[in-house]
Amino acid sequence: MKHIMLVNAVHKEQMRMATVDEKGKLIEFNIQMAVREPITGNIYKGKVLKVERGLQAAFVDYGGVKDGFLPLRDVSPGYLTEPENGQGGGKPVLKTGQEIIVQVVREVIGNKGALLTSYISLPGRYLVLLPNKLCGGISRKIESEEDRQKIKSLMEQIKVPEDMGFIVRTAGINRTKPEIQRDYQFLMRLWKDIFKKAESVSAPYFLYQETDFGVRSLRDYLTLEIDEILVDEVEAFRKMRAYLKAVAPRHLRILKQYKEKVPIFEQYGLEEQIRAIYQERVELKSGGYIIINPTEAMITIDVNSGRGSNKRNIEETAFKTNVDACEEIARQLRLRDLGGLIVIDFIDMIDKKHNAEVEKAFKKALSVDRARIQLSRISKFGLLELSRQKKQSTIQEISYTTCPYCKGSGLRPSLEYVSLGAFRKIESEAVKGVYSELRVSLPHEISLYLLNNKRSELLKLETTFGVCIAIEGRSDMAWDMLEIQQSVKEQALEVSAVQGVPLLTLAEETEPDADAECDLKTDVEAASDTEESPKKKGRRRSRHRKKKVAELPVENILSASVIPGIPAITMPTPISSAQSARFPEKPLKIVTALPDEFYPVELSGDIFAPEPEPEDSKKE
């Protein structure tokens, strides 16, 4: 069947490649975003930061955002050294601070760093060169024993260094010795350049980046079924032409530049098919549909009969829908590049023969997939499990970002739930009784709900606690966000006539010492004696000298404001000494962080100085 490869590289922010059949059906699809270029396959010179024996792995600084994770089983023997002082049980070990050449196997995912390996692999058109791994092999996709023997005899004629290995790719079938030799020499020159650069630089250092998007598309997706390659960008066309000229000259004739005014993907009707890749629901020919739901641990795929149900024969309907789903699921796995553990929930079938036929159809549909796949059988619950190699991020991960409102869950709280939660927060602030005004900012729908459905409750809060609640709607706020701006009340200041400073909330109270407590008791006793015999004047003095308060009126002190523009404050009538005894005579510490208008007194003088002795007592 004739296939066409289309490369859309006009926009550097997003480059796409698609393969379509003669009917215009999308067969293969790949995408690359400039803001998230893939690092899989890149080669770095890193430095070992730490070796964790418990994890059997090492953490390597290769220059990325997060340190890479290098399993010890993926460390080449050339980097292991003999242990010192008998450490490591006499086995060669990897030392901290050692420099090592590594390649990225898996990109950074969430909080997990990139997965690294020291066994470098350089993929070409027909071969994969393994510079530090002594082995040789042929792709598992080549199942014919005759083809495998032919390739094996052909590779024996090519001289490969003893410390290097290679793997023949699927594209190497029916290739001549000059073609494979040309690809091998190209990879050897590339490795020599990388190794030479690594010797002259210090870690961490970026040594090699995977090839251009267009060249990579030719290397990985060019098959014998493709009869035409169309490229809509001049620079990408030149790079692809140079690569084919060096590796596969016979394909130069099928490479063409697309020059039409209509966009290349629109010309072949692919835009609508590409949009369907990002949807979780995919329709089937039989009227059924499948639901693809990626999760953290696995990817679940559910098969449903939908409109294709037949009430007369349920078993036949289930079998037909499952067979149609096999082909479409295999296609979606390729297009979306889904990897990891995948669980498929087929429609339950009673006949065991139908189960076997569905397994056979699914295995056949997966045969064209380039990724390694391990497949199980359908269980008694109708579940089929498979594991697919994950080479890079999925199409959704490359093109989409996590929703800031639902955090990737796809769900958000209902209007009533969010509104009641907002009302409870407003209520908790209002009942404190210390605010004169609350300005609440909410999304428009939630603010309208509160003003229309909770108007009486809001009015009750305002009247009960003496607070003004102002609610406004904002379009730039997230669905469940809430902002409250509080205005503190101008509370009545509890003022001591003795000290003339605000108490409790506007000052930091200090503990009176023993002398002050003794003086307070003496003042109380003296006050009680005075009330009983006001005419009699007591001449006996206490052992401890009393800390008497100056007779200067508090009104005069407060009127002498040092701050211009602030009117004098008229204080209430001073209270008696008997009443003032309940206040500690030791002065309170004034909080300097409070506004100055709360303390319109002249702080330069000592208003708490002891009272001078009367002149009569001096004369005596």
Side-chain angles (χ1 to χ4, degrees), residues 357-392:
E357 292 183 14
V358 170
E359 293 174 0
K360 184 178 179 180
F362 190 49
K363 188 175 182 180
K364 181 181 179 181
L366 293 174
S367 61
V368 296
D369 200 327
R370 298 179 299 109
R372 291 194 302 268
I373 296 176
Q374 294 180 348
L375 190 64
S376 66
R377 303 179 68 88
I378 298 177
S379 67
K380 62 179 181 179
F381 303 108
L383 301 178
L384 186 145
E385 301 173 2
L386 70 140
S387 176
R388 186 176 184 273
Q389 178 189 10
K390 187 172 184 178
K391 295 186 175 182
Q392 61 180 8

Side-chain angles (χ1 to χ4, degrees), residues 305-456:
S305 58
R307 295 180 289 102
S309 60
N310 186 356
K311 297 181 180 179
R312 295 182 180 181
N313 193 337
I314 300 177
E315 178 72 13
E316 190 66 26
T317 301
F319 173 68
K320 185 178 180 181
T321 305
N322 287 339
V323 171
D324 288 346
C326 288
E327 182 180 354
E328 187 61 34
I329 290 174
R331 176 173 173 264
Q332 292 296 327
L333 293 180
R334 295 194 310 270
L335 295 178
R336 304 181 187 220
D337 199 10
L338 301 177
L341 183 61
I342 303 171
V343 179
I344 304 173
D345 182 13
F346 285 106
I347 304 175
D348 295 337
M349 298 177 293
I350 302 175
D351 195 346
K352 294 183 179 180
K353 293 183 179 179
H354 287 166
N355 285 334
E357 292 183 14
V358 170
E359 293 174 0
K360 184 178 179 180
F362 190 49
K363 188 175 182 180
K364 181 181 179 181
L366 293 174
S367 61
V368 296
D369 200 327
R370 298 179 299 109
R372 291 194 302 268
I373 296 176
Q374 294 180 348
L375 190 64
S376 66
R377 303 179 68 88
I378 298 177
S379 67
K380 62 179 181 179
F381 303 108
L383 301 178
L384 186 145
E385 301 173 2
L386 70 140
S387 176
R388 186 176 184 273
Q389 178 189 10
K390 187 172 184 178
K391 295 186 175 182
Q392 61 180 8
S393 301
T394 63
I395 300 300
Q396 284 83 357
E397 292 173 348
I398 295 174
S399 307
Y400 285 14
T401 57
T402 304
C403 175
Y405 301 109
C406 69
K407 308 302 180 183
S409 65
L411 301 172
R412 72 174 188 179
S414 63
L415 175 62
E416 293 78 8
Y417 183 88
V418 178
S419 301
L420 289 176
F423 176 78
R424 293 189 183 99
K425 292 180 180 179
I426 297 172
E427 186 180 25
S428 64
E429 294 293 328
V431 298
K432 294 179 181 179
V434 297
Y435 302 122
S436 62
E437 183 181 11
L438 295 176
R439 301 194 64 85
V440 186
S441 299
L442 294 164
H444 283 298
E445 296 182 23
I446 301 173
S447 62
L448 291 176
Y449 183 92
L450 292 177
L451 293 174
N452 294 330
N453 298 76
K454 295 295 178 183
R455 184 180 304 174
S456 59

